[in-house]
Amino acid sequence: DRQGFAHFMLKEIYEQPEVVRRCLATYLKPDWNSDRDAALPATPFNLAFPEALFAVAEIQIVACGTSRHAGLVAQYWLEQLAGIPTRVRSASEFVSAPFPLTTNTLTIAVTQSGETADTLAAIEVAKKRRSQSDVSLQSWSLGITNQPDSSLTKAVDYTLPTLAGAEVGVAATKTFMAQLVVFCCLALAFAVRRRVLSPQQLVDTIAALRLLPDQIETTLKQQHEPIQTVAQTFTDVKDCIVLGRGMNRAIALEGALKLKETTYIHAEGYAGGEFMHGPIALLDAKVLVIAIAPAGNVYDQMLANAQKAKTNGAPLIGITNVTESSDRAVFDHQITVPAIDELLSPFLTVTPLQLLAYAIAVQRGLDVDRPRNITKTLIH
Ligand code: BG6
């Protein structure tokens, strides 16, 4: 039932505030109250892992498509926040080129459906290699999935469900958002156990997480119309480059994937700095550039990249929460999201890209919920 929405994809984009609320209600202890930190429990997270697992030396993530992009955001959180070396590999690549065997390793497989053959094969390869190893390697496997009764769950030691409810649209939206919430709680839980996060940072981050559902709602309300207008302007664009830095590089990849999947526009995501080393030669007045530029450490560099793209003639859309008038002049179109700590910005920068892909696909008269050539593994 589309519940009055024109398509499942739009309905599922609009369900995201509720999905985040549900995931936080599950993974955050309700009695954790940042206003009375004296009485805080040891950890604010409901994650029942053995103590040794929190001491892992390395995390390896395998996934495909959108789920892999969630893994790339997580890599940033796990490395920069929790200080754990983390690698991400496409499940299909991992099968023929697995990571070297290491001890004290957590392997995480991420899949919305829990049935993606490449991801299941990767988990099997990881398990087999460990069981055949001469030395006993301490290791764990964890599945993050929207289908807790799936094949993935049977293959791993632990499962964290994403609780997004059934996703019908082939292009993943709300399950990606739910994967981000689970990964963020996981990275924070590691950071707390490893004592690399100050109590104040933790209190602030939990408080910020709890604001997310309302902030996503605000983004949806305020940006729906402006994004329709932008979509009309760029309905016929053939090429699009999405730029992001840091965590938002993964969102650039995800935004480009949403555009490819639903609009068939040739879209590519790049790290802003890396784009300067060659790919910038692509730009002219026909190539649309979308810059993800939330306030924070990489804002100035991102703006410089955007400015460079504009100098090369490209029309420029900015997704930002910086509203100074001098900066606004850089972007031909500005999509404004609520102010948020840079660390959590992917939660807010992804939604405008989902809405934009949806709106352009509809303008183009395409079957948004069932794009050509791709399928969704729903329930096995
Ligand atoms: C692909 C889909 O086949 O599978 C992508 O086209 C999807 O949209 C990917 O992200 C991974 O799916 P899952 O179920 O493993 O998350």
Side-chain angles (χ1 to χ4, degrees):
D1 179 9
R2 297 198 308 269
Q3 291 165 6
F5 286 94
H7 299 93
F8 280 107
M9 182 177 174
L10 189 63
K11 169 180 172 266
E12 288 158 2
I13 290 172
Y14 270 80
E15 279 173 352
Q16 291 180 121
E18 196 44 45
V19 168
V20 172
R21 226 169 257 134
R22 199 181 308 140
C23 290
L24 289 177
T26 302
Y27 290 106
L28 275 184
K29 289 183 179 161
D31 52 351
W32 175 270
N33 181 347
S34 47
D35 295 333
R36 41 172 193 90
D37 39 336
L40 294 182
T43 171
F45 303 100
N46 284 320
L47 292 167
F49 295 142
E51 207 52 44
L53 191 147
F54 283 105
V56 287
E58 180 174 325
I59 293 180
Q60 304 182 340
I61 300 175
V62 290
C64 305
T66 291
S67 295
R68 188 179 73 91
H69 297 153
L72 289 172
V73 177
Q75 178 183 34
Y76 194 98
W77 284 330
L78 290 163
E79 291 194 331
Q80 306 303 320
L81 196 66
I84 308 170
T86 303
R87 316 183 202 212
V88 184
R89 189 157 292 169
S90 300
S92 54
E93 288 294 310
F94 179 91
V95 172
S96 50
F99 301 120
L101 282 177
T102 44
T103 190
N104 282 324
T105 303
L106 173 65
T107 304
I108 306 180
V110 198
T111 157
Q112 172 277 129
S113 59
E115 301 295 342
T116 296
D118 285 328
T119 309
L120 295 176
I123 258 308
E124 286 314 319
V125 167
K127 278 166 57 177
K128 197 168 163 203
R129 277 163 50 83
R130 277 170 209 289
S131 67
Q132 288 173 350
S133 160
D134 294 339
V135 278
S136 121
L137 301 166
Q138 198 169 20
S139 65
W140 298 267
S141 58
L142 167 66
I144 296 181
T145 181
N146 206 42
Q147 298 292 340
D149 56 351
S150 59
S151 306
L152 176 78
T153 304
K154 295 181 190 88
V156 291
D157 302 327
Y158 302 95
T159 299
L160 296 177
T162 47
L163 308 159
E167 188 176 64
V168 179
V170 167
T173 52
K174 63 174 180 170
T175 53
F176 177 75
M177 189 66 85
Q179 287 166 349
L180 290 189
V181 179
V182 172
F183 265 132
C184 191
C185 290
L186 188 70
L188 285 166
F190 273 108
V192 170
R193 293 295 178 109
R194 296 160 84 99
R195 299 181 193 283
V196 291
L197 202 65
S198 76
Q200 193 54 51
Q201 260 181 310
L202 179 63
V203 166
D204 291 348
T205 311
I206 301 284
L209 276 174
R210 287 189 164 144
L211 292 178
L212 277 179
D214 286 351
Q215 289 183 315
I216 299 167
E217 222 151 71
T218 303
T219 309
L220 290 167
K221 268 198 206 112
Q222 293 180 346
Q223 294 308 319
H224 192 97
E225 283 310 313
I227 289 173
Q228 293 298 321
T229 310
V230 173
Q232 273 159 16
T233 312
F234 296 107
T235 306
D236 297 320
V237 81
K238 289 199 171 58
D239 302 283
C240 174
I241 301 292
V242 191
L243 301 178
R245 296 182 83 113
M247 283 161 290
N248 281 294
R249 177 185 81 99
I251 301 302
L253 298 178
E254 174 56 11
L257 180 61
K258 286 293 88 89
L259 282 165
K260 280 183 267 215
E261 286 179 319
T262 61
T263 71
Y264 315 145
I265 290 171
H266 170 232
E268 300 297 342
Y270 282 99
E274 189 55 27
F275 183 71
M276 300 299 131
H277 299 287
I280 192 166
L282 288 168
L283 295 188
D284 62 21
K286 290 203 187 96
V287 182
L288 172 64
V289 173
I290 304 175
I292 308 173
N297 279 332
V298 298
Y299 176 71
D300 287 342
Q301 291 164 310
M302 196 58 235
L303 214 61
N305 297 149
Q307 227 136 14
K308 193 85 188 11
K310 201 177 170 182
T311 315
N312 288 281
L316 190 61
I317 299 176
I319 299 175
T320 184
N321 46 24
V322 179
T323 50
E324 298 148 31
S325 53
S326 61
D327 292 337
R328 202 180 292 180
V330 176
F331 303 121
D332 301 311
H333 304 269
Q334 174 158 328
I335 298 170
T336 308
V337 295
I340 191 163
D341 190 297
E342 187 178 24
L343 192 72
L344 303 181
S345 61
F347 287 106
L348 300 186
T349 53
V350 71
T351 300
L353 291 161
Q354 297 167 337
L355 282 175
L356 183 65
Y358 170 78
I360 294 180
V362 171
Q363 295 276 342
R364 288 184 162 205
L366 299 171
D367 187 353
V368 210
D369 286 334
R370 278 177 309 243
R372 68 188 183 198
N373 306 346
I374 54 175
T375 50
K376 191 181 198 81
T377 323
L378 246 187
I379 298 164
H380 49 295

